[in-house]
Amino acid sequence: MQIIESIGEARSIIKRLKNQNKTIGFVPTMGALHEGHLSLIKKSKKENDNTIVSIFVNPLQFGPNEDFKKYPRTLEIDTKLAKEAGADIVFTPSADEIITDNPLTYVDINELSDNLCGAKRPGHFRGVCTIVSKLFNIIMPDSAYFGKKDIQQFYIIKKMTNDLNFDIRIVPCPIIREKDGLAMSSRNNYLTVKERNDALILSKALKKGVKLFESKETFSEIIIKELKEFIKTVKNADIDYVKIVDENMKNVKIINRGNILALAVYIGKTRLIDNHIFGEKVCF
Ligand code: AMP
């Protein structure tokens, strides 16, 4: 497995692969890799001749009071894990390499970013779309793999890819969870033992939401109210949002299969997100 830091080197290797008609699968990450990321790498490995994993903590997607500085950076372990999962190349550019001097161009997406995390983290998806577009232009993959853990991000990237005519297949991958239901996340590293236990309230709330829906409750307002009360039973939990939306990230009144129950909850100082698509298999 090769570790590459420069755009020039990445481009020349990719050119060679393309000349050999090799397919390229791409897994963009911010590192601190866990089984969730590794599942994306393994899927890409199965479906492509070559798999490229990027590790880049994207400064553009963090707000001024967010955790950019303390975000876990574990490059040595990450490269080992990526290799074991089947990556052929890890692309790990510095911020200076990716972000040009005095950039005046950004990729922004309307509407899909107005709700959920987009509403709570202004500029977040502009940062994501700008950097993912740059990475797409450098890597030029055939397929790119995104986790449904970040469900709004998945729909945004899919739409952006279509709107900007990137010739890339965007592949959704299931949420990987710990045995007790907690969705894997690099931010779980921040949690104390007590908070780790409190964090189970997210997946438990999703489970409760699914049960209510299966018992024929279809009014989103009623489910949201019940779930908010349920989450509030954990003293350490501070709700950022509990919403039920369609694929366009619009709130729905009456729930249908395919609608998404999405949560963002602070456990102590750590903001965690999780979601479930109604009608999909429950794995928590
Ligand atoms: P991140 O490093 O947090 O930017 O995530 C990189 C990719 O891994 C994104 O497509 C995420 O949706 C995906 N991912 C993160 N956590 C999980 C998880 N628990 N299950 C599946 N995919 C995940």
Side-chain angles (χ1 to χ4, degrees), residues 262-276:
L263 316 172
V265 179
Y266 284 92
I267 301 293
K269 287 194 169 126
T270 305
R271 185 176 179 279
L272 299 176
I273 58 170
D274 203 349
N275 73 83
H276 180 72

Side-chain angles (χ1 to χ4, degrees), residues 177 200-220 222-234 242 244 255 261 263 274-276 278 282-284:
R177 298 176 178 280
L200 290 175
I201 196 67
L202 280 92
S203 53
K204 283 183 183 163
L206 293 177
K207 205 168 175 176
K208 200 175 170 64
V210 170
K211 266 201 177 148
L212 287 165
F213 179 66
E214 282 172 355
S215 64
K216 306 282 184 266
E217 180 55 75
T218 56
F219 279 103
S220 62
I222 292 177
I223 294 189
I224 289 169
K225 187 165 173 279
E226 279 224 19
L227 297 190
K228 282 187 171 170
E229 278 163 18
F230 179 62
I231 294 168
K232 280 180 193 156
T233 59
V234 172
V242 176
I244 300 174
I255 308 167
L261 170 55
L263 316 172
D274 203 349
N275 73 83
H276 180 72
F278 288 108
V282 174
C283 51
F284 44 82

Side-chain angles (χ1 to χ4, degrees), residues 86-207:
D88 300 288
I89 296 170
V90 167
F91 179 51
T92 169
S94 65
D96 288 347
E97 181 74 4
I98 286 281
I99 301 167
T100 53
D101 277 349
N102 187 29
L104 299 174
T105 311
Y106 291 87
V107 179
D108 218 340
I109 187 160
N110 297 326
E111 293 185 28
L112 282 177
S113 61
D114 290 347
N115 202 358
L116 309 182
C117 292
K120 296 291 181 172
R121 303 180 68 188
H124 171 70
F125 286 116
R126 174 171 134 132
V128 170
C129 287
T130 301
I131 293 298
V132 171
S133 300
K134 283 165 169 278
L135 292 170
F136 280 1
N137 279 329
I138 296 162
I139 310 286
M140 295 191 295
D142 298 277
S143 303
Y145 296 78
F146 289 86
K148 292 202 285 190
K149 158 86 174 15
D150 299 276
I151 193 75
Q152 186 175 19
Q153 172 174 274
F154 165 72
Y155 281 109
I156 283 177
I157 296 293
K158 208 172 136 182
K159 179 77 174 121
M160 177 196 82
T161 301
N162 189 53
D163 284 354
L164 297 184
N165 303 100
F166 282 113
D167 188 14
I168 300 170
R169 186 173 67 109
I170 304 299
V171 184
C173 302
I175 300 175
I176 304 297
R177 298 176 178 280
E178 304 285 357
K179 277 203 183 82
D180 58 8
L182 180 68
M184 290 194 182
S185 164
S186 306
R187 291 194 167 95
N188 292 349
N189 289 323
Y190 300 150
L191 302 172
T192 63
V193 175
K194 158 92 173 60
E195 287 171 342
R196 167 70 183 71
N197 194 47
D198 289 341
L200 290 175
I201 196 67
L202 280 92
S203 53
K204 283 183 183 163
L206 293 177
K207 205 168 175 176

Side-chain angles (χ1 to χ4, degrees), residues 76-94:
E76 211 170 304
I77 306 167
D78 287 349
T79 49
K80 187 171 168 286
L81 291 173
K83 185 178 175 192
E84 284 167 7
D88 300 288
I89 296 170
V90 167
F91 179 51
T92 169
S94 65

